[in-house]
Amino acid sequence: MNLSQIKKHAIAHKLTDSHDEWLRQRNKGLGGSDAGAVLGLNPYKSAYTLWAEKTGLIDSHIPDNEAMRVGRDLEQYVAERFTEATGLKVQKSGYSFQSKEHPWMLGNVDRLIVGENAGLECKTANALTHTDYEGGDIPPSYYAQCYHYMAVTGADAWYIAILVMGKGFHWFRIERDEDEIQALVEAEKEFWSKVQTKEAPDPDGSDSTSETLAKLYPESFDEEVELDYMEDTLQEREALEAKIKDLTAQKKELDAQLKEEMKTAQKGVCGLYSISWKTQKRTSFDKESYRADHPDEYTDYLTTTTTRPFVVRKRKGARA
């Protein structure tokens, strides 16, 4: 794949050495790594969190960590392993790409395939990954990223190479699928319009969204809002709580039956299942006794944290 092929579909921007500048450019649109979050396929970042980042409501910068460092440092190694495994030569482009048809679609690709209208995405994965790469599985967010790059560059296919640390190396070829690409483009278009209008997408129940809401609204003020229009939501929540309570009681009953059968045994086995009921001892600090014995010193070690407990209950005497 060469630049002349890509330039039929995208504008090429020379890559900068400044990480801060790269981050600023990245927030001007949606990159390949954003595609999974837009579709709700990224287990670490929700569409709501991505929206808050792109609108500047929260900082999108992630402090560098060891996993990120390893991924960057091993990118060249993964590319070399790919060439070794496939015989296909790869090269860096030196550019980031911006779709001409959809200017908010950006692409900073890892490698281009020499002599083929295709590119390569390089990945590293933890040895404890649950993805069955040997069985041909690829995380859905990786698929979305590759289709995003095909949409931006006009590529016929995209390869992905994954190094599972200390365990194995795998590579796959993803063919261009116009229906998949069009669906992704429409989803990203709708999402980007929400970024421009600052209209938040519907929040989901992920940890990512919960953490983002805590960042956006860390403190409460002495005011009250009317939420009459959300009565259906509250009734649905109440029904779910009742189901959870009932299911929890059923689970506890089954646990009790198993414990009765195990008695003093610390391990139980049954076909596909193993059960552990092992005696454990834990040493904890008796802070109440310490406070009673050392009242002056105790206050020197107190710290204050800010939280916002979320509690829903029925009001006494309230009428529907």
Side-chain angles (χ1 to χ4, degrees), residues 28-29 98-106:
K28 292 181 179 179
Q98 180 181 17
S99 170
K100 291 181 178 179
E101 186 176 1
H102 310 293
W104 35 267
M105 293 188 76
L106 312 175

Side-chain angles (χ1 to χ4, degrees), residues 136-151:
D137 290 347
I138 306 176
S141 60
Y142 289 3
Y143 267 113
Q145 186 171 6
C146 292
Y147 282 129
H148 177 96
Y149 291 147
M150 282 186 264

Side-chain angles (χ1 to χ4, degrees), residues 230-279:
M230 298 198 73
E231 186 169 358
D232 289 345
T233 300
L234 288 164
Q235 289 178 347
E236 182 179 359
R237 185 183 185 281
E238 183 180 22
L240 287 172
E241 278 195 329
K243 287 182 180 180
I244 291 171
K245 184 177 180 180
D246 182 52
L247 291 172
T248 300
Q250 292 181 44
K251 177 178 175 293
K252 287 183 176 180
E253 182 178 344
L254 296 177
D255 287 349
Q257 293 174 16
L258 292 166
K259 289 176 180 178
E260 169 58 26
E261 293 300 319
M262 291 179 67
K263 295 181 171 58
T264 59
Q266 71 177 20
K267 184 177 180 181
V269 292
C270 175
L272 298 174
Y273 304 94
S274 66
I275 308 166
S276 175
W277 191 22
K278 189 184 299 185
T279 303

